């Protein structure tokens, strides 16, 4: 199985993860309508069967339901599972003890005493400072409850500060989880990608398929059946799809050349950037199996650059 290290601390995970925001989330992702617990259990098992054993969740996904589902599924498999979750510094959780308590609750929902990666979901510094976050999590590494520390949605400057404070405790910042895809390359322009490479911080790329736009399954005819957050995204419109036609055409050509799907091409493009782990969502077994097909092969450098040009 293709693997990658998280940051420079030596923790190794599969080169593709599984994002589980939709698992248990009824607000954004129509959980319980279009798909349910049996479907996501199938996604979990199909991922593990394909060798993809790194799952990213958060305490706010489904208000804890995503963690509970992963905890349940993990107990039903003999395969070692690596789990990443996140703390969201909501306004009333304003003490260092809040972070410790939140981690305890996540571990209980996940039915484990240790997780691979714990991340600060957003840098809401008006609540707690980066130094507070990092010092608490450094202590948790030393206690053995987490193996690695990460951040999410941090700017280059904020990531540098987090790296600095952890380094003072003898610990490396492992990841920055940010949106990154062929249709969202903001981290290439705002300094996050360059700084992460300089610091040795791995990028966890969420929304790597742009909420499904890069799968090729959306057409003007299917748009009327949209559910959840996609109904708010202007790209999911006849005009939005038309603007992306050149990229979609290139993805289709490459798909035929490699006998892969557009989604697999898009995920492989991210993996080809180096030190980037895509964490696509999967609501069922078929989607999970399809995602895993992005591993074990590589686009050429010329094809990587062609896709970059077509997506600009």
């Amino acid at each position: 199985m293709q693997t990658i290290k998280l940051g420079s601390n030596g923790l190794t995970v599969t080169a593709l993860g599984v994002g589980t925001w939709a698992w248990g989330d009824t607000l954004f992702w129509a959980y319980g309508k279009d798909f349910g617990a049996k479907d996501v259990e199938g996604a979990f098992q199909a991922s593990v069967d394909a060798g993809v054993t790194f799952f990213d969740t958060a305490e706010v996904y489904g208000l804890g339901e995503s963690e509970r589902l992963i905890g349940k599924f993990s107990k039903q498999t003999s395969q070692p599972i690596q789990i990443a979750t996140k703390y969201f510094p909501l306004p009333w959780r304003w003490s260092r003890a809040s972070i410790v308590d939140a981690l305890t609750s996540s571990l209980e929902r996940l039915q484990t005493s240790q997780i691979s990666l714990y991340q600060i979901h957003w840098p809401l510094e008006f609540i707690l400072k980066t130094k507070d976050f990092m010092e608490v999590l450094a202590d948790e590494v030393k206690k053995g409850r987490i193996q690695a520390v990460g951040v999410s949605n941090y700017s280059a400057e904020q990531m540098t500060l987090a790296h600095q404070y952890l380094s003072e405790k003898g610990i490396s910042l492992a990841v920055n989880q940010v949106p990154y895809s062929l249709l969202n390359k903001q981290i290439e322009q705002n300094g996050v990608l360059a700084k992460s490479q300089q610091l040795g911080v791995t990028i966890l790329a969420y929304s790597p398929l742009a909420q499904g736009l890069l799968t090729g399954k959306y057409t003007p005819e299917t748009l009327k059946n949209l559910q959840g957050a996609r109904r708010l995204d202007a790209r999911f419109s006849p005009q939005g799809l038309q603007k992306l036609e050149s990229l979609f055409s290139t993805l289709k050509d490459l798909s035929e050349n490699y006998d892969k799907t557009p989604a697999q091409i898009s995920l492989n493009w991210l993996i080809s950037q180096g030190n980037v782990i895509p964490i696509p969502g999967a609501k069922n077994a078929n989607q999970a199996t399809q995602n895993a097909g992005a591993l074990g092969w590589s686009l050429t450098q010329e094809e990587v650059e062609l896709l970059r040009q077509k997506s600009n």
Side-chain angles (χ1 to χ4, degrees):
M1 173 51 62
Q2 193 174 340
T3 60
I4 187 173
K5 286 185 177 181
L6 292 185
S8 57
N9 73 351
L11 181 64
T12 299
V13 300
T14 49
L16 182 81
V18 181
T20 65
W21 182 9
W23 295 14
D25 189 290
T26 58
L27 181 61
F28 289 101
W29 298 113
Y31 179 82
K33 295 179 182 177
D34 296 343
F35 66 106
K38 282 294 183 185
D39 298 294
V40 298
E41 183 175 5
F44 178 91
Q45 193 56 54
S47 298
V48 173
D49 289 345
V52 177
T53 55
F54 181 44
F55 294 84
D56 179 82
T57 184
E59 60 176 2
V60 299
Y61 295 171
L63 300 178
E65 186 62 18
S66 178
E67 288 182 331
R68 281 187 285 268
L69 288 167
I70 293 173
K72 175 185 175 183
F73 301 156
S74 297
K75 290 297 183 183
Q76 297 170 354
T77 180
S78 58
Q79 291 275 36
I81 304 301
Q82 291 175 293
I83 301 170
T85 193
K86 298 183 274 303
Y87 165 78
F88 196 101
L90 296 168
W92 58 89
R93 300 160 76 188
W94 40 263
S95 70
R96 288 184 174 216
S98 298
I99 309 170
V100 176
D101 292 344
L103 173 58
T104 299
S105 296
S106 285
L107 291 171
E108 289 172 353
R109 287 188 290 268
L110 290 164
Q111 301 185 48
T112 186
S113 60
Q114 182 190 68
I115 54 171
S116 298
L117 175 67
Y118 199 57
Q119 303 153 93
I120 302 299
H121 209 147
W122 287 90
L124 303 182
E125 286 234 339
F126 59 87
I127 301 169
L128 279 173
K129 299 300 182 185
T130 296
K131 184 176 184 180
D132 294 304
F133 290 138
M134 295 306 112
E135 289 184 349
V136 170
L137 296 188
D139 288 342
E140 292 295 343
V141 171
K142 292 170 183 176
K143 290 177 187 175
R145 297 210 297 172
I146 59 179
Q147 292 180 279
V149 176
V151 295
S152 182
N153 301 300
Y154 273 48
S155 68
E157 182 180 1
Q158 291 163 335
M159 178 175 58
T160 301
L161 271 179
H163 180 273
Q164 174 189 326
Y165 291 131
L166 281 176
S167 295
E168 291 171 0
K169 296 289 187 177
I171 293 169
S172 301
L173 180 64
V175 308
N176 189 3
Q177 183 174 152
V178 290
Y180 189 26
S181 73
L182 277 166
L183 294 179
N184 185 346
K185 300 193 290 297
Q186 187 178 8
I187 66 168
E188 297 181 2
Q189 283 87 46
N190 63 16
V192 167
L193 184 60
K195 181 58 69 172
S196 72
Q197 293 167 341
Q198 178 187 339
L199 298 176
V201 175
T202 300
I203 293 293
L204 284 193
Y206 74 79
S207 294
L209 296 175
Q211 298 183 29
L213 266 178
L214 293 168
T215 64
K217 70 180 181 181
Y218 289 100
T219 66
E221 292 73 33
T222 62
L223 292 176
K224 60 180 178 293
N225 299 319
L226 289 179
Q227 294 282 349
R230 292 184 181 89
R231 289 183 293 182
L232 307 176
D233 191 331
R235 297 174 302 179
F236 288 89
S237 68
Q239 298 82 3
L241 293 179
Q242 188 172 7
K243 290 179 182 178
L244 299 172
E245 184 53 43
S246 179
L247 172 61
F248 291 162
S249 178
T250 302
L251 284 171
K252 183 179 178 182
D253 290 343
L254 289 170
S255 298
E256 293 171 354
N257 291 344
Y258 281 93
D259 193 23
K260 297 290 181 181
T261 67
Q264 290 164 343
I265 299 291
S266 300
L267 293 172
N268 194 273
W269 182 86
L270 282 171
I271 294 169
S272 298
Q273 305 307 310
N275 210 35
V276 174
I277 304 174
I279 49 171
K283 295 178 182 177
N284 54 53
N286 181 59
Q287 289 180 0
T289 301
Q290 288 290 315
N291 290 342
L295 295 170
W297 59 280
S298 296
L299 294 164
T300 67
Q301 195 56 45
E302 291 76 17
E303 290 164 342
V304 168
E305 289 307 313
L306 174 64
L307 285 168
R308 182 183 300 281
Q309 293 167 16
K310 293 292 184 178
S311 60
N312 285 338

